[in-house]
Amino acid sequence: MNKKELVDAIADRVGDKKTATEAVNAVLEAIQHAVAGGDKVSITGFGAFEMVHKPARTARNPSTGAPIKVAESWAPKFRPGADFKELVNAGGKKHAKKK
């Protein structure tokens, strides 16, 4: 599901596409700004978004084996909640039985 499909699914529930688009954009922007500012965003039953630090390290070029210095960086991280994991696990089991 992409953003357009998400908006369409929400529009079916709230009644119109404009409201659904504004709601999706507002939620995504709020999460992005909070995480970029160093806050952790926890949505009970869904999961948690947070920023993680990746320290500088030395990696290897797979072709030549030469060492490469990788600069430190910060990255977003998502950890699914227990309810979300349970739902995905049940869906995966149903999907596996169809094959």
Side-chain angles (χ1 to χ4, degrees):
M1 175 180 275
N2 61 30
K3 187 175 176 181
K4 181 187 178 312
E5 293 167 339
L6 179 61
V7 168
D8 290 342
I10 292 173
D12 291 343
R13 295 184 70 176
V14 298
D16 72 289
K17 197 167 183 173
K18 183 179 179 186
T19 304
T21 301
E22 289 173 4
V24 168
N25 287 337
V27 169
L28 295 177
E29 286 175 19
I31 291 170
Q32 289 173 340
H33 286 99
V35 172
D39 292 333
K40 180 178 179 179
V41 178
S42 296
I43 303 170
T44 304
F46 182 70
F49 298 88
E50 59 189 320
M51 182 169 51
V52 294
H53 179 250
K54 295 184 175 188
R57 63 186 175 89
T58 302
R60 295 228 173 255
N61 180 329
S63 304
T64 64
I68 301 170
K69 292 187 186 235
V70 179
E72 75 170 347
S73 63
W74 294 87
K77 179 181 178 182
F78 175 72
R79 287 182 305 135
D83 293 345
F84 188 24
K85 285 181 187 178
E86 202 172 292
L87 184 64
V88 171
N89 188 36
K93 289 178 181 176
K94 288 179 187 175
H95 182 70
K97 288 180 182 177
K98 289 181 182 180
K99 289 184 177 183

